[in-house]
Coordinates of all heavy atoms in Angstrom, one line a residue:
M21 N -43.1 134.2 -275.7 CA -42.4 133.1 -275.3 C -42.6 132.0 -276.2 O -43.9 131.7 -276.6 CB -42.8 132.7 -273.9 CG -42.1 131.4 -273.4 SD -42.6 131.1 -271.7 CE -42.1 129.5 -271.4
H22 N -41.6 131.4 -276.7 CA -41.8 130.3 -277.7 C -41.7 128.8 -277.1 O -40.9 128.7 -276.0 CB -40.7 130.4 -278.9 CG -41.1 131.5 -279.7 ND1 -42.1 131.5 -280.6 CD2 -40.5 132.6 -279.9 CE1 -42.2 132.7 -281.3 NE2 -41.1 133.3 -280.7
C23 N -42.4 127.9 -277.6 CA -42.4 126.7 -277.0 C -41.3 125.9 -277.6 O -41.2 125.8 -278.8 CB -43.8 126.0 -277.4 SG -44.1 124.3 -276.8
P24 N -40.5 125.1 -276.8 CA -39.4 124.3 -277.4 C -40.0 123.1 -278.1 O -41.0 122.8 -277.9 CB -38.6 123.9 -276.2 CG -39.4 124.1 -275.0 CD -40.5 125.1 -275.3
P25 N -39.2 122.7 -279.1 CA -39.7 121.5 -279.8 C -40.4 120.4 -278.9 O -41.3 119.7 -279.5 CB -38.5 120.8 -280.5 CG -37.6 122.1 -280.7 CD -37.8 122.9 -279.4
S26 N -40.0 120.2 -277.8 CA -40.5 118.9 -277.0 C -41.9 119.2 -276.7 O -42.7 118.3 -276.3 CB -39.6 118.8 -275.7 OG -39.7 119.9 -274.9
C27 N -42.4 120.6 -276.6 CA -43.7 120.7 -276.1 C -44.7 120.9 -277.3 O -45.7 121.3 -277.0 CB -43.7 121.9 -275.1 SG -43.8 123.5 -275.8
L28 N -44.2 120.9 -278.5 CA -45.1 121.2 -279.7 C -46.2 120.2 -279.8 O -47.2 120.5 -280.3 CB -44.3 121.2 -280.9 CG -43.3 122.5 -280.9 CD1 -42.5 122.4 -282.4 CD2 -44.0 123.8 -280.8
R29 N -45.9 118.8 -279.5 CA -47.0 117.8 -279.7 C -47.0 117.1 -278.4 O -46.0 116.9 -277.7 CB -46.5 116.9 -280.8 CG -46.5 117.5 -282.0 CD -45.9 116.6 -283.2 NE -45.7 117.2 -284.4 CZ -46.6 117.5 -285.4 NH1 -47.7 116.9 -285.2 NH2 -46.2 118.1 -286.5
F30 N -48.2 116.5 -278.0 CA -48.3 115.6 -277.0 C -49.3 114.5 -277.4 O -50.3 114.6 -278.2 CB -48.4 116.0 -275.6 CG -49.7 116.5 -275.4 CD1 -50.9 115.7 -274.9 CD2 -50.1 117.9 -275.2 CE1 -52.1 116.1 -274.6 CE2 -51.3 118.5 -275.0 CZ -52.4 117.6 -274.6
Y31 N -49.0 113.4 -276.9 CA -50.0 112.2 -277.3 C -50.1 111.4 -275.9 O -49.2 111.1 -275.2 CB -49.4 111.3 -278.2 CG -50.1 110.1 -278.6 CD1 -51.3 110.1 -279.3 CD2 -49.5 108.8 -278.1 CE1 -51.9 108.9 -279.5 CE2 -50.1 107.6 -278.4 CZ -51.4 107.7 -279.1 OH -52.2 106.5 -279.4
I32 N -51.3 111.2 -275.5 CA -51.7 110.4 -274.3 C -52.5 109.3 -274.8 O -53.6 109.5 -275.4 CB -52.5 111.2 -273.3 CG1 -51.5 112.5 -272.9 CG2 -52.8 110.3 -272.1 CD1 -52.2 113.3 -271.9
R33 N -52.2 108.1 -274.5 CA -53.1 106.8 -274.8 C -53.3 106.2 -273.3 O -52.3 105.8 -272.7 CB -52.4 106.0 -275.7 CG -53.1 104.7 -275.9 CD -54.0 104.8 -277.4 NE -54.8 103.7 -277.5 CZ -55.0 102.9 -278.5 NH1 -54.1 103.2 -279.5 NH2 -55.8 102.0 -278.6
C34 N -54.4 106.1 -273.0 CA -54.8 105.4 -271.6 C -54.5 103.9 -271.7 O -54.7 103.3 -272.9 CB -56.2 105.7 -271.3 SG -56.5 107.5 -271.0
C35 N -54.3 103.4 -270.7 CA -54.0 102.0 -270.5 C -55.3 101.1 -270.2 O -56.3 101.7 -270.0 CB -52.9 101.7 -269.4 SG -53.4 102.4 -267.9
G36 N -55.2 99.9 -270.4 CA -56.3 99.0 -270.0 C -56.3 98.4 -268.8 O -55.3 98.6 -268.0
A37 N -57.4 97.8 -268.3 CA -57.4 97.2 -267.0 C -57.5 95.7 -267.2 O -58.0 95.3 -268.3 CB -58.5 97.8 -266.1
P38 N -57.2 94.9 -266.4 CA -57.2 93.5 -266.5 C -58.6 93.1 -267.0 O -59.6 93.5 -266.4 CB -56.9 92.8 -265.1 CG -56.0 93.9 -264.5 CD -56.6 95.1 -265.0
G39 N -58.6 92.4 -268.0 CA -60.1 91.9 -268.7 C -60.7 92.8 -269.5 O -61.8 92.6 -269.9
H40 N -60.2 94.1 -269.5 CA -60.9 95.2 -270.4 C -59.9 95.7 -271.4 O -58.7 96.1 -270.9 CB -61.3 96.3 -269.4 CG -62.3 95.9 -268.5 ND1 -62.2 95.3 -267.3 CD2 -63.7 96.1 -268.6 CE1 -63.2 95.1 -266.7 NE2 -64.1 95.6 -267.4
Y41 N -60.4 95.7 -272.7 CA -59.5 96.0 -273.6 C -60.2 97.1 -274.6 O -61.4 97.1 -274.7 CB -59.1 94.8 -274.5 CG -58.4 93.9 -273.7 CD1 -59.1 92.7 -273.2 CD2 -57.0 93.9 -273.4 CE1 -58.5 91.8 -272.4 CE2 -56.4 93.0 -272.6 CZ -57.1 92.0 -272.2 OH -56.5 91.0 -271.3
H42 N -59.5 98.0 -275.2 CA -59.9 99.0 -276.1 C -60.5 98.3 -277.3 O -59.8 97.4 -277.8 CB -59.0 100.1 -276.5 CG -58.3 100.9 -275.4 ND1 -59.1 101.6 -274.5 CD2 -57.0 101.1 -275.1 CE1 -58.4 102.2 -273.7 NE2 -57.1 101.9 -273.9
H43 N -61.7 98.5 -277.9 CA -62.1 98.0 -279.0 C -63.0 99.0 -279.8 O -63.6 100.0 -279.0 CB -62.8 96.7 -278.8 CG -64.2 96.8 -278.2 ND1 -65.3 96.9 -279.0 CD2 -64.6 97.0 -276.9 CE1 -66.4 96.9 -278.3 NE2 -65.9 97.0 -277.0
S44 N -63.2 99.0 -281.0 CA -64.1 99.9 -281.8 C -63.7 101.3 -281.4 O -64.6 102.2 -281.1 CB -65.6 99.6 -281.4 OG -66.1 98.4 -281.8
C45 N -62.3 101.6 -281.4 CA -61.9 103.0 -281.2 C -61.9 103.9 -282.4 O -61.6 103.5 -283.5 CB -60.5 102.8 -280.5 SG -60.5 101.9 -279.0
R46 N -62.1 105.2 -282.2 CA -62.0 106.1 -283.3 C -61.4 107.4 -282.9 O -61.6 107.9 -281.7 CB -63.5 106.5 -283.7 CG -64.1 105.4 -284.3 CD -65.6 105.9 -284.8 NE -66.2 104.9 -285.5 CZ -67.4 105.1 -286.2 NH1 -67.9 106.2 -286.3 NH2 -67.8 104.1 -286.8
W47 N -60.7 108.0 -283.7 CA -60.0 109.5 -283.4 C -61.1 110.4 -284.1 O -61.6 110.2 -285.1 CB -58.8 109.6 -284.2 CG -57.6 108.9 -283.5 CD1 -57.0 107.8 -283.7 CD2 -57.0 109.4 -282.4 NE1 -56.1 107.6 -282.9 CE2 -56.0 108.6 -282.0 CE3 -57.1 110.5 -281.5 CZ2 -55.0 108.8 -280.8 CZ3 -56.2 110.8 -280.5 CH2 -55.2 110.0 -280.2
T48 N -61.3 111.4 -283.2 CA -62.1 112.6 -283.8 C -61.3 113.2 -284.9 O -60.1 113.3 -284.8 CB -62.5 113.6 -282.7 OG1 -61.3 114.2 -282.2 CG2 -63.2 112.9 -281.5
P49 N -61.9 114.1 -285.7 CA -61.3 115.1 -286.5 C -60.8 116.2 -285.5 O -61.1 116.1 -284.3 CB -62.3 115.7 -287.4 CG -63.6 115.3 -286.9 CD -63.4 114.1 -286.0
W50 N -60.0 117.1 -285.8 CA -59.7 118.2 -285.0 C -60.8 118.9 -284.5 O -61.9 119.1 -285.2 CB -58.8 119.3 -285.7 CG -57.4 118.7 -286.3 CD1 -57.1 118.4 -287.5 CD2 -56.3 118.4 -285.4 NE1 -55.8 118.0 -287.5 CE2 -55.4 117.9 -286.3 CE3 -56.1 118.4 -284.1 CZ2 -54.2 117.5 -285.8 CZ3 -54.8 118.0 -283.7 CH2 -53.9 117.5 -284.4
V51 N -61.0 119.0 -283.2 CA -62.1 119.6 -282.5 C -62.1 121.1 -282.4 O -63.3 121.7 -282.0 CB -62.4 118.9 -281.2 CG1 -62.7 117.5 -281.4 CG2 -61.5 119.2 -280.2
N52 N -61.0 121.6 -282.6 CA -61.0 123.2 -282.5 C -59.9 123.8 -283.4 O -59.1 123.0 -284.0 CB -60.6 123.6 -281.0 CG -59.3 123.2 -280.7 OD1 -58.9 122.1 -280.8 ND2 -58.4 124.1 -280.2
Y53 N -60.1 125.1 -283.7 CA -59.0 125.8 -284.3 C -58.2 126.5 -283.3 O -58.7 126.7 -282.2 CB -59.6 126.8 -285.4 CG -60.3 126.2 -286.5 CD1 -61.7 126.0 -286.5 CD2 -59.6 125.5 -287.5 CE1 -62.4 125.3 -287.5 CE2 -60.3 124.7 -288.5 CZ -61.8 124.8 -288.6 OH -62.3 124.1 -289.4
Y54 N -57.1 127.0 -283.7 CA -56.2 127.8 -282.8 C -57.0 129.0 -282.4 O -57.8 129.6 -283.1 CB -54.9 128.3 -283.4 CG -54.0 127.1 -283.6 CD1 -53.6 126.7 -284.9 CD2 -53.6 126.2 -282.5 CE1 -52.7 125.7 -285.1 CE2 -52.7 125.2 -282.8 CZ -52.3 125.0 -284.1 OH -51.5 123.9 -284.4
D55 N -56.8 129.4 -281.1 CA -57.5 130.7 -280.5 C -59.0 130.5 -280.6 O -59.7 131.6 -280.7 CB -57.1 131.9 -281.2 CG -55.6 132.2 -281.2 OD1 -54.9 131.9 -280.1 OD2 -55.0 132.6 -282.3
E56 N -59.5 129.4 -280.2 CA -60.9 129.2 -280.4 C -61.3 128.3 -279.0 O -60.7 127.3 -278.7 CB -61.3 128.3 -281.5 CG -62.8 128.0 -281.6 CD -63.1 127.1 -282.9 OE1 -62.8 126.1 -282.9 OE2 -63.4 127.8 -283.9
Y57 N -62.5 128.6 -278.4 CA -63.0 128.0 -277.3 C -63.7 126.8 -277.9 O -64.2 126.8 -279.1 CB -64.1 128.8 -276.6 CG -64.6 128.1 -275.5 CD1 -64.1 128.0 -274.2 CD2 -66.1 127.5 -275.7 CE1 -64.8 127.2 -273.3 CE2 -66.6 126.9 -274.8 CZ -66.0 126.7 -273.5 OH -66.8 126.0 -272.5
F58 N -63.5 125.6 -277.1 CA -64.3 124.5 -277.6 C -65.0 123.5 -276.4 O -64.3 123.5 -275.4 CB -63.5 123.6 -278.6 CG -62.4 122.9 -277.9 CD1 -62.7 121.5 -277.6 CD2 -61.2 123.4 -277.6 CE1 -61.6 120.7 -276.9 CE2 -60.2 122.7 -277.1 CZ -60.4 121.3 -276.6
N59 N -66.0 122.9 -276.8 CA -66.4 121.7 -275.8 C -66.5 120.6 -276.7 O -67.0 120.6 -277.8 CB -67.9 122.1 -275.5 CG -67.9 123.0 -274.1 OD1 -67.1 122.7 -273.3 ND2 -68.9 123.7 -274.0
W60 N -66.0 119.4 -276.2 CA -66.3 118.3 -276.8 C -66.6 117.2 -275.8 O -66.0 117.2 -274.6 CB -65.0 117.7 -277.4 CG -65.2 116.4 -278.1 CD1 -65.7 116.2 -279.4 CD2 -64.7 115.1 -277.6 NE1 -65.7 114.8 -279.6 CE2 -65.1 114.1 -278.5 CE3 -64.2 114.6 -276.4 CZ2 -64.9 112.8 -278.4 CZ3 -63.9 113.4 -276.2 CH2 -64.3 112.4 -277.2
Y61 N -67.6 116.3 -276.0 CA -68.1 115.4 -275.0 C -68.0 114.0 -275.7 O -68.1 113.8 -277.0 CB -69.6 115.6 -274.8 CG -69.9 116.9 -274.2 CD1 -70.3 118.0 -274.8 CD2 -69.8 116.9 -272.8 CE1 -70.5 119.3 -274.2 CE2 -70.1 118.3 -272.1 CZ -70.5 119.3 -272.9 OH -70.6 120.6 -272.3
V62 N -67.5 113.0 -274.9 CA -67.4 111.7 -275.3 C -68.9 111.1 -275.8 O -69.8 111.3 -275.0 CB -66.9 110.8 -274.2 CG1 -66.7 109.4 -274.8 CG2 -65.5 111.3 -273.7
P63 N -69.0 110.7 -276.9 CA -70.3 110.1 -277.4 C -70.9 109.0 -276.3 O -70.1 108.4 -275.7 CB -70.1 109.5 -278.7 CG -68.9 110.2 -279.2 CD -68.0 110.4 -277.9
N64 N -72.2 109.0 -276.3 CA -72.7 108.0 -275.4 C -72.2 106.6 -275.6 O -71.9 106.3 -276.7 CB -74.3 108.0 -275.5 CG -75.0 109.2 -275.0 OD1 -74.4 109.9 -274.1 ND2 -76.1 109.6 -275.5
Y65 N -72.2 105.8 -274.5 CA -71.7 104.4 -274.6 C -70.3 104.3 -275.0 O -69.9 103.3 -275.6 CB -72.6 103.6 -275.3 CG -74.1 103.7 -274.9 CD1 -75.0 104.4 -275.8 CD2 -74.5 103.3 -273.8 CE1 -76.3 104.7 -275.4 CE2 -75.9 103.5 -273.2 CZ -76.8 104.1 -274.1 OH -78.1 104.3 -273.6
N66 N -69.5 105.4 -274.8 CA -68.1 105.3 -275.1 C -67.3 105.9 -273.9 O -67.8 106.5 -273.0 CB -67.7 106.1 -276.4 CG -68.4 105.6 -277.6 OD1 -67.7 104.8 -278.3 ND2 -69.6 105.9 -278.0
Y67 N -66.0 105.8 -273.9 CA -65.0 106.3 -272.9 C -63.8 107.0 -273.7 O -63.5 106.5 -274.8 CB -64.7 105.4 -271.9 CG -63.9 104.2 -272.4 CD1 -62.6 104.1 -272.6 CD2 -64.6 103.2 -273.0 CE1 -61.8 103.2 -273.0 CE2 -64.0 102.0 -273.5 CZ -62.5 102.0 -273.5 OH -61.8 101.0 -274.0
L68 N -63.3 108.0 -273.0 CA -62.1 108.6 -273.5 C -60.9 107.7 -273.4 O -60.6 107.2 -272.2 CB -61.8 109.9 -272.7 CG -60.6 110.6 -273.2 CD1 -60.8 111.2 -274.7 CD2 -60.5 111.9 -272.3
A69 N -60.0 107.4 -274.5 CA -59.0 106.5 -274.4 C -57.5 107.3 -274.7 O -56.6 106.7 -274.5 CB -59.2 105.4 -275.3
G70 N -57.7 108.4 -275.4 CA -56.5 109.2 -275.7 C -56.6 110.5 -276.2 O -57.9 110.9 -276.5
I71 N -55.5 111.3 -276.2 CA -55.7 112.8 -276.6 C -54.4 113.0 -277.4 O -53.3 112.6 -277.0 CB -55.6 113.7 -275.4 CG1 -56.8 113.5 -274.5 CG2 -55.6 115.1 -275.9 CD1 -56.6 114.1 -273.1
Y72 N -54.5 113.8 -278.5 CA -53.5 114.1 -279.5 C -53.5 115.6 -279.5 O -54.7 116.3 -279.8 CB -53.5 113.4 -280.8 CG -52.3 113.8 -281.6 CD1 -51.2 113.4 -281.4 CD2 -52.7 114.6 -282.7 CE1 -50.0 113.8 -282.2 CE2 -51.5 115.0 -283.5 CZ -50.4 114.6 -283.4 OH -49.3 115.1 -284.1
S73 N -52.5 116.3 -279.4 CA -52.5 117.7 -279.5 C -51.2 118.3 -280.2 O -50.1 117.7 -280.1 CB -52.5 118.4 -278.0 OG -52.5 119.8 -278.1
V74 N -51.4 119.4 -281.0 CA -50.3 120.1 -281.7 C -50.3 121.5 -281.1 O -51.4 122.2 -281.1 CB -50.4 119.9 -283.2 CG1 -49.4 120.6 -283.9 CG2 -50.4 118.4 -283.6
H75 N -49.2 122.1 -280.9 CA -49.0 123.4 -280.5 C -48.5 124.4 -281.6 O -47.7 123.9 -282.5 CB -47.9 123.6 -279.3 CG -47.7 124.8 -278.8 ND1 -46.8 125.8 -279.3 CD2 -48.3 125.6 -277.8 CE1 -46.8 126.9 -278.5 NE2 -47.7 126.7 -277.7
S76 N -49.1 125.6 -281.7 CA -48.7 126.6 -282.7 C -47.9 127.7 -281.9 O -48.6 128.3 -281.0 CB -49.8 127.1 -283.5 OG -49.5 128.2 -284.1
N77 N -46.6 128.0 -282.2 CA -46.0 129.1 -281.6 C -46.6 130.4 -282.1 O -46.7 131.3 -281.1 CB -44.6 129.1 -282.0 CG -43.7 128.1 -281.0 OD1 -44.0 127.9 -279.9 ND2 -42.7 127.5 -281.7
S78 N -47.0 130.6 -283.2 CA -47.5 131.8 -283.6 C -48.9 132.1 -282.8 O -49.1 133.3 -282.7 CB -47.7 131.9 -285.1 OG -48.6 130.9 -285.6
H79 N -49.7 131.1 -282.6 CA -50.9 131.3 -281.8 C -50.8 131.2 -280.4 O -51.7 131.6 -279.6 CB -52.0 130.3 -282.3 CG -52.3 130.5 -283.7 ND1 -53.4 131.5 -284.2 CD2 -52.0 130.0 -284.9 CE1 -53.6 131.6 -285.4 NE2 -52.7 130.6 -286.0
E80 N -49.6 130.5 -280.0 CA -49.5 130.2 -278.5 C -50.7 129.5 -278.0 O -51.4 129.8 -277.0 CB -49.2 131.5 -277.6 CG -47.8 131.9 -277.9 CD -46.8 131.1 -277.5 OE1 -46.9 130.2 -276.6 OE2 -45.7 131.0 -278.0
D81 N -51.2 128.4 -278.8 CA -52.4 127.6 -278.6 C -52.2 126.3 -279.2 O -51.2 126.1 -279.7 CB -53.6 128.4 -279.1 CG -54.9 127.9 -278.6 OD1 -54.9 127.2 -277.5 OD2 -56.0 128.4 -279.1
R82 N -53.1 125.5 -278.7 CA -53.2 124.1 -279.2 C -54.5 123.6 -279.8 O -55.5 124.4 -279.6 CB -52.9 123.1 -278.0 CG -51.6 123.1 -277.3 CD -51.6 122.1 -276.1 NE -50.2 122.0 -275.7 CZ -49.2 121.4 -276.4 NH1 -49.5 120.6 -277.4 NH2 -47.9 121.4 -275.9
H83 N -54.4 122.8 -280.7 CA -55.6 122.1 -281.2 C -55.5 120.5 -280.8 O -54.5 120.0 -280.6 CB -56.0 122.4 -282.6 CG -55.1 122.0 -283.7 ND1 -55.5 122.0 -285.0 CD2 -53.8 121.6 -283.7 CE1 -54.5 121.6 -285.7 NE2 -53.5 121.3 -285.1
F84 N -56.8 120.2 -280.8 CA -56.9 118.7 -280.2 C -57.5 117.7 -281.0 O -58.7 118.1 -281.8 CB -57.5 118.6 -278.8 CG -56.9 119.5 -277.8 CD1 -57.0 120.9 -277.7 CD2 -55.9 118.9 -276.9 CE1 -56.3 121.6 -276.7 CE2 -55.2 119.6 -275.9 CZ -55.4 120.9 -275.9
R85 N -57.3 116.3 -280.9 CA -58.1 115.2 -281.4 C -58.2 114.3 -280.1 O -57.3 114.2 -279.3 CB -57.3 114.5 -282.5 CG -57.3 115.3 -283.7 CD -56.5 114.5 -284.8 NE -57.4 113.6 -285.3 CZ -56.9 112.7 -286.2 NH1 -55.8 112.5 -286.5 NH2 -57.9 111.7 -286.6
F86 N -59.3 113.6 -280.1 CA -59.5 112.7 -279.0 C -59.8 111.3 -279.6 O -60.5 111.1 -280.4 CB -60.8 113.2 -278.1 CG -60.5 114.6 -277.5 CD1 -61.1 115.6 -278.0 CD2 -59.8 114.6 -276.5 CE1 -60.8 116.9 -277.5 CE2 -59.5 115.9 -275.8 CZ -60.1 117.0 -276.4
L87 N -59.3 110.2 -278.8 CA -59.6 108.8 -279.0 C -60.6 108.5 -278.2 O -60.5 108.5 -276.9 CB -58.3 108.0 -279.0 CG -58.4 106.7 -279.2 CD1 -58.6 106.3 -280.6 CD2 -57.2 105.8 -278.8
Y88 N -61.7 107.9 -278.7 CA -62.6 107.4 -277.8 C -63.1 105.9 -278.3 O -63.0 105.5 -279.4 CB -64.1 108.2 -277.7 CG -64.7 108.3 -279.2 CD1 -65.9 107.5 -279.4 CD2 -64.4 109.2 -280.0 CE1 -66.4 107.7 -280.6 CE2 -65.0 109.4 -281.3 CZ -66.1 108.7 -281.5 OH -66.7 108.8 -282.8
C89 N -63.5 105.1 -277.3 CA -63.8 103.7 -277.6 C -65.1 103.2 -277.0 O -65.6 103.8 -276.1 CB -62.7 102.7 -277.0 SG -61.0 103.1 -277.5
A90 N -65.7 102.2 -277.6 CA -67.0 101.7 -277.2 C -66.8 100.9 -275.9 O -65.9 100.3 -275.7 CB -67.6 100.8 -278.3
K91 N -67.8 101.1 -275.1 CA -68.0 100.3 -273.9 C -68.6 99.0 -274.1 O -69.4 99.0 -275.1 CB -68.9 101.1 -272.8 CG -68.2 102.3 -272.3 CD -69.2 102.9 -271.2 CE -68.7 104.3 -270.7 NZ -69.7 104.9 -269.7
Y92 N -68.2 98.0 -273.5 CA -68.9 96.6 -273.6 C -69.0 95.9 -272.5 O -68.3 96.2 -271.5 CB -68.2 95.9 -274.9 CG -66.9 95.5 -274.5 CD1 -66.7 94.1 -274.0 CD2 -65.8 96.2 -274.7 CE1 -65.4 93.6 -273.7 CE2 -64.5 95.9 -274.5 CZ -64.3 94.6 -274.0 OH -63.0 94.1 -273.7

């Protein structure tokens, strides 16, 4: 089964709360290769703010990058 173009990529960016804003944010490099198990943990004193993923039809899998920001 092939993924239609609409599912090849997705991007999620979390919103802020009143009085709280994202700062000192960084994207990870790709944290996995296709067909590979992975674990990724948000570094200490940071929080997850976004996810970026790309799908491969030939692998029927995704690889990921994560956006994390410093807590203050």
Side-chain angles (χ1 to χ4, degrees):
M21 177 176 167
H22 289 287
C23 185
S26 62
C27 80
L28 294 179
R29 299 175 188 269
F30 75 83
Y31 173 74
I32 298 170
R33 177 97 188 237
C34 298
C35 54
H40 294 84
Y41 303 96
H42 298 309
H43 76 95
S44 301
C45 298
R46 293 181 176 193
W47 282 100
T48 64
W50 295 109
V51 298
N52 67 309
Y53 295 103
Y54 294 119
D55 301 322
E56 176 183 83
Y57 175 81
F58 73 96
N59 268 329
W60 180 79
Y61 297 94
V62 178
N64 287 337
Y65 308 107
N66 291 272
Y67 60 92
L68 181 64
I71 303 169
Y72 179 72
S73 173
V74 176
H75 181 269
S76 166
N77 279 332
S78 62
H79 293 279
E80 286 299 329
D81 199 9
R82 293 185 168 277
H83 63 163
F84 294 90
R85 295 179 73 188
F86 298 101
L87 177 67
Y88 63 95
C89 302
K91 293 180 185 177
Y92 67 96

